[in-house]
Amino acid sequence: TAAGNRTVHRPANLAARAAMVLRDNDTGTLVTASPRLYPHMWSWDAAFISMGLAHLDVSRAVQELRTLFSAQWHDGMIPHIVFTGDDDYFPGPDRWGTDDAPQRPHNARTSGICQPPVHAIALRRIIDTARRTSEADAGIAEDFAREAWPALRRWHGWIARHRMSEACGLVTIVHGWESGMDNSPRWDAPYLAVQPDADLPPYVRLDTLKVDDPRQRPSDDEYDRYLWLIEQLRRAGYHPDKVVETSAFLVGDVFVTAVFALASETLADIGAELDAPASEIAELRSWAGRARDAARRSCHPETGMARDFDVHTGTWLDTESLAAFSPLLCGGLPTETEQRLFDTLDGPGWSGHPGLLAAVPPSVSPHSGDFDPRLYWRGPQWPVVIWLFGWAFEQRGWQRHASEFRAQGVHLASDGSFGEYYEPFTGEPLGSPNQSWTAAVVLDWLC
Ligand code: 9YW
């Protein structure tokens, strides 16, 4: 059936297509983030992908996380990319130059930064899905949870040890890519201080050759800054403390902070179910508490919107992006502030904008001067982020909001193309088609 010139698939058909995308992108041990644009494993993609896989095959789902965790650095960091043999992506492992870092894993080539820590949330979702299917599946998921517990604790410990900023309490990032929201206007001001010099080795971008319209991707000027930061990380030998000392980009990220709080609490709950040592569970809950407090303190005193913090300039960043709603993920706000944030989220600047095809928040408010409906993290809607907020709402008992996000998310993706991101007014899929994490969250919404 067609609505306007947009094809709309029925739920059963949409779920079958989503499953097909995950199968097609599966190399056996990992599902690539997308077939052409991203032929490798990305850290937070792998988490979302694994919970989609759980609806098809629980053993295959845990294998996905096992592959990712086997590339964990010796210091605990989970790297943002695990490279396959394919070299059709830039920057690849040679450009990252991680082979000389003493903490790198020896069985995989990886990038040298991280991404939002959503992995414990994926594990929770896999366990819950498996428990609904069969006792055997529940056993597979729970055994894996025991196996993965030390890796996940070390990962959260790495963040707590190296990235919880004394300046603002937020979890800091040393590259916009660590936020997962690469070219968000959130980072425009901090990137001004990233000034590549003549030492930046030359390079050729491949991403712009693989999308229909390169204007849907970050600009060349932005790429120079991204590559310059990699140069700095490389020179710091990827040593976690030296990286924080030397990076020209050092920002407290309120979204990563809220995800860390939510994931730490979720991991603690899993630990309690598995009879993990009480001290380890308490430690996770204390990290969650610190992160939640920091997210609360970031809120603008009048609007209640949460903010990032530029550590180098000591300033709060008031950008109207979806990250401003991050405390709704982890809780910790006074009821009144929380209600105000919800009203803003439902209002005409966000999900309630009358022009939207699907009533879910875009990455940037259409009322903002930074809004661009076709440009990556500067306006389009991203199904994975919608999934994350919807799941958190459900955990917190906000059923109406949770089911609204699910229904509208499915509506957005019902054309069956599994776009990387969507033009919010027309629902046109943008970036890469058959993006694995989009297929995974749609499958989860439908099952
Ligand atoms: C890139 C894989 C990744 C996501 C990021 C997204 C994009 C990679 O794709 O970054 O080369 O631009 O911004 O969040 O993990 O889907």
Side-chain angles (χ1 to χ4, degrees), residues 38 42 44-45 89 115 180 182 217 223 376-377 435 437:
Y38 308 129
W42 263 260
W44 74 323
D45 297 57
Y89 176 82
Q115 269 189 328
D182 310 1
R217 298 280 312 168
Y223 255 72
Y376 213 38
W377 291 100
Q435 181 82 3
W437 67 1

Side-chain angles (χ1 to χ4, degrees), residues 344-384:
T344 309
L345 184 63
D346 292 342
W350 293 92
S351 308
H353 189 287
L356 299 180
L357 175 87
V360 287
S363 44
V364 172
S365 168
H367 292 174
S368 159
D370 296 318
F371 177 74
D372 180 332
R374 307 180 68 80
L375 182 52
Y376 213 38
W377 291 100
R378 304 181 77 91
Q381 288 159 323
W382 287 73
V384 271

